[in-house]
């Protein structure tokens, strides 16, 4: 669709924002709910506390009328209903999903988009069948170069109307990692999480896990959809070579200790010994090998639980003797590949992949 036919052209300007949050950001923040940080205490995030990110409207689908079409460069084009998909071999996997835009709201200037701070993350137990079971049934032809996944949701972004769509190279889709999931934490998917069927791509930022999956198209060339070719790239200015956003970066978040002030979210902690706890994760199946906590800038090691699922976060804990006064707590993680979190946010144009350390202001009395 050309820009000429864009009905939103008069409203298209989205200059980077600085300072105050805009009304548009506030309305996106209402639509896309966050993990309240105290819910980091759950190893599996209850469904209603898991973050959500939906670009357009949540489509209203019913299980009876649902079909998944597989077409393009395949030997046997398929149309499967939900019962046929659920009859395929099932498995469950605990997966930590994080939105690539998490942390965008801390950047200066920031991209005009969803202004997440820390909380666009959650871990669920997804149940479904390996994507491979459906792709094998369709049979990729030898010239299959890319696999596009489309949701039932449609809208405009940067002047182009499209069904939300993302792609994976056949290599990335071939293993047993990707799931076509129909259940989350043991219950059918909630409407906002992709009912009745979604893709789950473990280890990747959330945009790859297409919700309300209705169409898989196998292509002989790279997918040029808006959310693949235009959105989700790292670049510092518009002329930079664009690096696609893929795997989650290493990150750690703490359960805010003590009790909050309603408005500022500053914390009040009683003096004395206490535990500081949180969760840490990375992408691409990498375990977190080290967790640290800083009190007023002095780092110490935290105890990190072993990885119990290749693509799920790990709990950590650190003891602290809280002394009266004003303090800043921070936490950071290092993964098995040696990557660690930066102190300052890594800046890029669309505000993707900000994995800077979390800071929490605490008053101890
Ligand atoms: N069809 C569709 N799938 C989608 C999206 C969307 O807008 N439409 N958003 C993506 C993004 S950016 C993220 S971070 C995750 C969020 O998944 P959740 O809402 O279940 O947490 O879904 C991804 N899948
Ligand atoms: Mo996202």
């Amino acid at each position: 669709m050309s820009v000429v036919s864009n009905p939103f052209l008069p409203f298209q300007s989205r200059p980077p924002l600085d300072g105050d949050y805009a009304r548009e950001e506030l309305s996106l923040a209402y639509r896309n709910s966050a993990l309240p940080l105290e819910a980091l205490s759950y190893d599996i995030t209850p469904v209603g506390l898991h973050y959500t990110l939906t670009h357009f409207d949540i489509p209203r689908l019913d299980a009876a009328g649902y079909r998944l079409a597989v077409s393009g460069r395949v030997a046997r084009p398929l149309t499967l209903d939900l019962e046929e998909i659920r009859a395929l071999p099932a498995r469950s996997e605990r997966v930590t999903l994080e939105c690539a835009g998490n942390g965008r709201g801390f950047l200066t200037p920031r991209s005009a988009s969803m202004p997440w701070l820390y909380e666009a993350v959650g871990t669920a137990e997804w149940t479904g069948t390996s994507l491979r079971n459906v792709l094998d049934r369709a049979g990729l032809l030898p010239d299959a170069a890319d696999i596009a996944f489309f949701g039932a949701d449609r809208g405009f972004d940067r002047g182009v109307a499209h069904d939300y769509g993302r792609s994976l190279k056949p290599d990335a889709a071939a293993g047993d990692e990707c799931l076509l999931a129909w259940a989350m934490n043991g219950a059918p998917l909630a409407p906002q999480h992709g009912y009745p069927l979604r893709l789950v791509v473990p280890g990747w930022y959330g945009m790859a896990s297409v919700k309300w999956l209705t169409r898989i198209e196998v292509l002989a060339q790279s997918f040029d959809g808006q959310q693949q070719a235009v959105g989700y790239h790292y670049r510092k200015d518009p002329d930079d070579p664009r690096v696609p956003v893929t795997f989650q970066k290493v990150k750690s978040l703490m359960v805010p200790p003590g009790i909050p002030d309603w408005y500022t979210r500053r914390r009040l902690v009683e003096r004395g010994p206490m535990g500081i706890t949180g969760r840490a994760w990375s992408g691409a199946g990498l375990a977190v090998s080290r967790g640290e906590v800083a009190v007023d800038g002095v780092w110490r090691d935290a105890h990190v639980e072993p990885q119990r699922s290749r693509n799920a976060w790990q709990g950590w804990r650190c003891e602290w003797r809280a002394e009266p006064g004003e303090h800043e707590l921070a936490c950071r993680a290092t993964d098995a590949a040696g990557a660690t979190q930066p102190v300052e946010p890594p800046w890029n144009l669309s505000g993707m992949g900000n994995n800077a350390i979390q800071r929490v202001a605490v008053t101890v009395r």
Side-chain angles (χ1 to χ4, degrees), residues 50-55 153 164 193 198 206 209 211-212 232:
H50 193 285
Y51 87 98
T52 66
L53 191 294
T54 299
H55 289 76
D153 49 331
Y164 183 90
H193 289 296
R198 78 177 297 172
S209 295
K211 302 189 276 190
W212 314 290
Y232 295 104

Side-chain angles (χ1 to χ4, degrees), residues 146 148 150 165-167 169 219 221-226 228-229:
D146 210 3
F150 296 95
R166 286 282 310 179
S167 73
K169 297 293 174 197
L219 305 166
Q221 67 290 329
S222 288
F223 178 50
D224 64 356
Q226 195 72 351
Q228 187 73 31

Side-chain angles (χ1 to χ4, degrees), residues 6-88:
N6 173 14
F8 300 113
L9 197 55
F11 318 101
Q12 206 61 66
S13 167
R14 265 167 70 180
L17 301 168
D18 225 327
D20 292 348
Y21 289 90
R23 182 177 291 237
E24 289 83 350
E25 290 174 292
L26 183 61
S27 85
L28 290 180
Y30 286 134
R31 293 191 48 80
N32 296 296
S33 51
L35 174 91
L37 292 181
E38 63 273 26
L40 287 161
S41 66
Y42 298 92
D43 196 33
I44 293 184
T45 312
V47 171
L49 299 178
H50 193 285
Y51 87 98
T52 66
L53 191 294
T54 299
H55 289 76
F56 307 134
D57 291 348
I58 296 171
R60 193 162 169 178
L61 304 182
D62 71 284
Y66 174 82
R67 299 289 182 277
L68 172 64
V70 186
S71 64
R73 304 304 300 155
V74 293
R76 295 166 295 275
L78 306 172
T79 305
L80 301 170
D81 64 25
L82 199 59
E83 284 318 303
E84 290 171 294
I85 295 168
R86 291 179 57 124
L88 294 168

Side-chain angles (χ1 to χ4, degrees), residues 41-44 92-96 123 125 279-281 285-288 304-316:
S41 66
Y42 298 92
D43 196 33
I44 293 184
S92 295
E93 188 180 341
R94 198 173 289 203
V95 176
T96 296
T123 296
E125 180 103 359
R279 310 265 166 204
W281 66 96
L286 289 167
V288 166
V304 182
E305 289 170 3
Q307 199 180 34
R308 62 159 96 170
S309 180
R310 220 174 92 81
N311 292 291
W313 59 25
Q314 293 157 252
W316 56 259

